[in-house]
Amino acid sequence: MIAQTETKHYTINEYLELEIASEIRSEYCNGEIISMTGGTPNHNDIAGNLYILLKSALKGKDYRTFYADQRLWIPSVSLYTYPDVMVLPKPLELQTGRKDTVVNPCFIAEVLSKSTQNYDRGEKFVAYRTISTFGEYLLIDQYRTHVEHHVKTAAHQWLFSEYDDPNVTLSLSTFEFQIQISELYENIDFSTV
Protein backbone atom coordinates (compact mmCIF):
# COMPACT_ATOMS: atom_id res chain seq x y z
CA MET A 1 0.00 0.00 0.00
CA ILE A 2 1.34 3.41 -0.97
CA ALA A 3 0.98 6.15 1.60
CA GLN A 4 -0.45 9.38 0.24
CA THR A 5 0.98 12.63 1.41
CA GLU A 6 -1.37 15.45 2.12
CA THR A 7 -0.64 18.81 0.51
CA LYS A 8 -0.48 21.59 3.08
CA HIS A 9 -2.58 24.63 2.29
CA TYR A 10 -1.39 28.06 3.33
CA THR A 11 -3.21 31.32 3.80
CA ILE A 12 -2.05 34.31 1.79
CA ASN A 13 -0.60 35.86 4.95
CA GLU A 14 1.35 32.67 5.76
CA TYR A 15 2.76 32.61 2.23
CA LEU A 16 3.80 36.28 2.34
CA GLU A 17 5.52 35.83 5.71
CA LEU A 18 7.41 32.77 4.44
CA GLU A 19 8.33 34.56 1.20
CA ILE A 20 9.81 37.55 3.04
CA ALA A 21 12.06 35.27 5.09
CA SER A 22 12.97 32.92 2.23
CA GLU A 23 16.10 33.07 0.08
CA ILE A 24 14.30 31.35 -2.80
CA ARG A 25 11.22 32.54 -4.67
CA SER A 26 7.97 30.60 -4.62
CA GLU A 27 4.64 30.96 -6.38
CA TYR A 28 1.39 30.84 -4.45
CA CYS A 29 -1.59 29.25 -6.18
CA ASN A 30 -4.88 28.73 -4.33
CA GLY A 31 -3.25 27.86 -1.03
CA GLU A 32 -0.30 25.86 -2.37
CA ILE A 33 3.29 27.10 -2.36
CA ILE A 34 5.33 26.01 -5.36
CA SER A 35 9.12 26.48 -5.21
CA MET A 36 10.60 27.98 -8.33
CA THR A 37 13.66 26.20 -9.62
CA GLY A 38 16.79 28.02 -10.67
CA GLY A 39 17.13 28.98 -14.30
CA THR A 40 19.69 27.80 -16.81
CA PRO A 41 22.31 30.17 -18.26
CA ASN A 42 20.29 30.34 -21.51
CA HIS A 43 17.11 31.16 -19.57
CA ASN A 44 18.82 33.94 -17.63
CA ASP A 45 20.58 35.41 -20.68
CA ILE A 46 17.40 35.49 -22.80
CA ALA A 47 15.36 37.15 -20.04
CA GLY A 48 18.26 39.54 -19.36
CA ASN A 49 18.62 40.41 -23.05
CA LEU A 50 14.93 41.29 -23.29
CA TYR A 51 15.00 43.26 -20.03
CA ILE A 52 17.99 45.35 -21.14
CA LEU A 53 16.47 46.06 -24.56
CA LEU A 54 13.11 47.06 -23.04
CA LYS A 55 14.70 49.12 -20.24
CA SER A 56 16.73 51.06 -22.80
CA ALA A 57 13.84 51.53 -25.25
CA LEU A 58 11.41 52.70 -22.57
CA LYS A 59 13.82 55.08 -20.81
CA GLY A 60 12.09 58.38 -20.13
CA LYS A 61 8.65 56.96 -20.98
CA ASP A 62 5.73 56.24 -18.67
CA TYR A 63 6.63 52.60 -17.99
CA ARG A 64 8.57 50.56 -15.44
CA THR A 65 10.37 47.37 -16.48
CA PHE A 66 11.04 44.46 -14.10
CA TYR A 67 13.14 41.31 -14.31
CA ALA A 68 12.50 38.05 -12.42
CA ASP A 69 12.24 39.24 -8.81
CA GLN A 70 9.12 41.42 -8.91
CA ARG A 71 6.08 39.68 -7.44
CA LEU A 72 2.74 39.93 -9.24
CA TRP A 73 -0.65 39.32 -7.57
CA ILE A 74 -3.58 38.05 -9.65
CA PRO A 75 -6.58 38.17 -7.29
CA SER A 76 -9.15 36.53 -9.57
CA VAL A 77 -7.23 33.24 -9.44
CA SER A 78 -5.48 33.74 -6.09
CA LEU A 79 -2.01 33.58 -7.68
CA TYR A 80 1.27 35.21 -6.69
CA THR A 81 3.94 34.75 -9.35
CA TYR A 82 7.22 36.18 -10.61
CA PRO A 83 7.17 36.72 -14.40
CA ASP A 84 10.58 36.61 -16.11
CA VAL A 85 10.09 40.11 -17.55
CA MET A 86 7.17 42.48 -17.19
CA VAL A 87 6.38 46.07 -18.04
CA LEU A 88 3.91 48.19 -16.11
CA PRO A 89 2.54 51.62 -16.92
CA LYS A 90 3.20 54.41 -14.45
CA PRO A 91 2.00 54.88 -11.83
CA LEU A 92 2.55 51.39 -10.49
CA GLU A 93 -0.47 49.83 -8.85
CA LEU A 94 0.40 47.86 -5.75
CA GLN A 95 -1.63 45.21 -4.01
CA THR A 96 -3.62 46.84 -1.22
CA GLY A 97 -1.55 46.88 1.98
CA ARG A 98 1.68 45.79 0.20
CA LYS A 99 4.73 47.71 -1.02
CA ASP A 100 6.37 44.75 -2.78
CA THR A 101 3.63 43.33 -5.02
CA VAL A 102 2.32 44.82 -8.29
CA VAL A 103 -1.04 44.20 -9.95
CA ASN A 104 -1.10 46.10 -13.27
CA PRO A 105 1.29 44.72 -15.93
CA CYS A 106 0.59 45.57 -19.56
CA PHE A 107 3.31 43.28 -21.00
CA ILE A 108 4.72 39.98 -19.73
CA ALA A 109 7.40 37.70 -21.15
CA GLU A 110 8.28 34.18 -20.02
CA VAL A 111 11.29 32.15 -21.11
CA LEU A 112 10.12 28.59 -21.62
CA SER A 113 11.71 25.64 -19.87
CA LYS A 114 10.83 21.97 -20.22
CA SER A 115 9.27 21.94 -16.75
CA THR A 116 7.16 25.11 -17.14
CA GLN A 117 6.31 25.47 -20.84
CA ASN A 118 2.87 23.85 -20.62
CA TYR A 119 2.00 25.91 -17.53
CA ASP A 120 3.27 29.15 -19.15
CA ARG A 121 1.23 28.52 -22.32
CA GLY A 122 -1.85 27.24 -20.52
CA GLU A 123 -2.98 27.88 -16.96
CA LYS A 124 -0.61 30.80 -16.35
CA PHE A 125 -1.65 32.55 -19.57
CA VAL A 126 -5.30 32.06 -18.58
CA ALA A 127 -4.51 33.70 -15.22
CA TYR A 128 -2.65 36.60 -16.87
CA ARG A 129 -5.62 37.26 -19.15
CA THR A 130 -7.79 38.07 -16.11
CA ILE A 131 -5.66 41.20 -15.52
CA SER A 132 -7.50 44.15 -17.09
CA THR A 133 -4.29 46.06 -18.00
CA PHE A 134 -2.58 43.02 -19.59
CA GLY A 135 -2.45 43.09 -23.38
CA GLU A 136 0.71 41.42 -24.67
CA TYR A 137 2.50 38.14 -23.93
CA LEU A 138 5.81 36.87 -25.27
CA LEU A 139 6.96 33.26 -24.84
CA ILE A 140 10.61 32.67 -25.73
CA ASP A 141 12.03 29.17 -26.21
CA GLN A 142 15.46 28.67 -24.64
CA TYR A 143 16.30 25.46 -26.56
CA ARG A 144 15.93 26.77 -30.13
CA THR A 145 15.07 30.00 -31.93
CA HIS A 146 11.32 30.19 -31.44
CA VAL A 147 9.17 33.05 -30.12
CA GLU A 148 5.40 33.03 -29.56
CA HIS A 149 3.68 36.41 -29.48
CA HIS A 150 0.14 37.02 -28.22
CA VAL A 151 -1.53 40.43 -28.57
CA LYS A 152 -4.95 41.33 -27.23
CA THR A 153 -7.02 42.77 -30.07
CA ALA A 154 -10.40 43.08 -28.30
CA ALA A 155 -12.17 41.74 -25.24
CA HIS A 156 -11.66 37.96 -25.23
CA GLN A 157 -9.70 38.08 -28.51
CA TRP A 158 -5.98 37.48 -28.92
CA LEU A 159 -3.84 37.44 -32.06
CA PHE A 160 -1.13 34.75 -32.10
CA SER A 161 2.09 34.94 -34.15
CA GLU A 162 5.23 32.83 -33.99
CA TYR A 163 8.76 33.38 -35.22
CA ASP A 164 11.60 30.95 -35.97
CA ASP A 165 13.75 33.17 -38.18
CA PRO A 166 16.41 35.08 -36.19
CA ASN A 167 16.42 37.84 -38.85
CA VAL A 168 12.73 38.71 -38.39
CA THR A 169 11.85 41.92 -36.57
CA LEU A 170 9.13 41.61 -33.94
CA SER A 171 6.97 44.67 -33.25
CA LEU A 172 5.42 45.00 -29.82
CA SER A 173 2.07 46.78 -29.80
CA THR A 174 1.70 47.82 -26.14
CA PHE A 175 4.38 50.46 -26.67
CA GLU A 176 6.36 51.35 -29.75
CA PHE A 177 9.22 48.87 -29.76
CA GLN A 178 10.79 46.65 -32.37
CA ILE A 179 13.29 43.91 -31.73
CA GLN A 180 15.10 41.56 -34.04
CA ILE A 181 14.64 37.96 -32.86
CA SER A 182 18.42 37.45 -32.97
CA GLU A 183 18.81 40.16 -30.28
CA LEU A 184 16.83 38.01 -27.83
CA TYR A 185 19.24 35.13 -28.49
CA GLU A 186 22.49 37.10 -28.33
CA ASN A 187 25.26 34.91 -26.79
CA ILE A 188 22.96 31.88 -26.51
CA ASP A 189 24.62 28.49 -27.03
CA PHE A 190 22.03 25.88 -28.02
CA SER A 191 24.66 23.12 -27.92
CA THR A 192 24.65 23.22 -24.11
CA VAL A 193 20.98 22.20 -23.83
Side-chain angles (χ1 to χ4, degrees):
M1 185 169 173
I2 298 173
Q4 291 190 340
T5 57
E6 198 172 305
T7 303
K8 179 170 175 26
H9 281 74
Y10 296 84
T11 66
I12 288 172
N13 287 337
E14 287 172 327
Y15 161 76
L16 290 170
E17 284 184 30
L18 289 169
E19 194 70 359
I20 288 168
S22 178
E23 292 182 15
I24 61 166
R25 294 178 297 129
S26 299
E27 283 193 351
Y28 174 91
C29 185
N30 290 313
E32 289 186 44
I33 295 177
I34 303 122
S35 295
M36 298 178 69
T37 59
T40 64
N42 279 0
H43 183 285
N44 288 322
D45 270 349
I46 292 167
N49 288 344
L50 178 59
Y51 170 77
I52 290 166
L53 291 163
L54 285 170
K55 189 81 169 165
S56 176
L58 297 175
K59 185 176 183 178
K61 298 189 176 162
D62 286 335
Y63 295 97
R64 300 272 307 267
T65 307
F66 296 98
Y67 172 64
D69 286 330
Q70 181 57 61
R71 187 170 47 237
L72 169 65
W73 168 238
I74 308 172
S76 62
V77 292
S78 193
L79 175 67
Y80 283 101
T81 188
Y82 293 85
D84 289 327
V85 178
M86 75 179 148
V87 177
L88 289 81
K90 292 179 185 175
L92 292 181
E93 290 179 29
L94 299 173
Q95 179 186 9
T96 303
R98 305 289 312 171
K99 294 182 180 193
D100 56 0
T101 307
V102 297
V103 298
N104 67 318
C106 55
F107 170 88
I108 295 175
E110 297 284 5
V111 178
L112 300 175
S113 66
K114 287 181 170 71
S115 63
T116 65
Q117 63 185 344
N118 291 337
Y119 175 56
D120 289 339
R121 285 185 179 114
E123 189 178 339
K124 199 172 200 183
F125 186 29
V126 170
Y128 287 159
R129 291 195 310 261
T130 68
I131 302 168
S132 63
T133 56
F134 177 63
E136 195 158 13
Y137 192 38
L138 209 58
L139 295 161
I140 309 165
D141 196 313
Q142 68 171 302
Y143 306 107
R144 64 185 174 108
T145 302
H146 183 78
V147 177
E148 299 172 19
H149 184 206
H150 300 267
V151 179
K152 187 174 186 177
T153 56
H156 310 291
Q157 292 182 346
W158 289 77
L159 175 65
F160 170 71
S161 303
E162 58 187 329
Y163 308 93
D164 296 312
D165 182 348
N167 299 311
V168 167
T169 298
L170 168 69
S171 295
L172 299 182
S173 64
T174 303
F175 30 80
E176 287 188 32
F177 178 67
Q178 293 187 327
I179 182 172
Q180 192 165 18
I181 299 298
S182 62
E183 292 179 281
L184 294 172
Y185 289 100
E186 184 180 348
N187 292 323
I188 299 304
D189 182 1
F190 293 118
S191 70
T192 62
V193 295

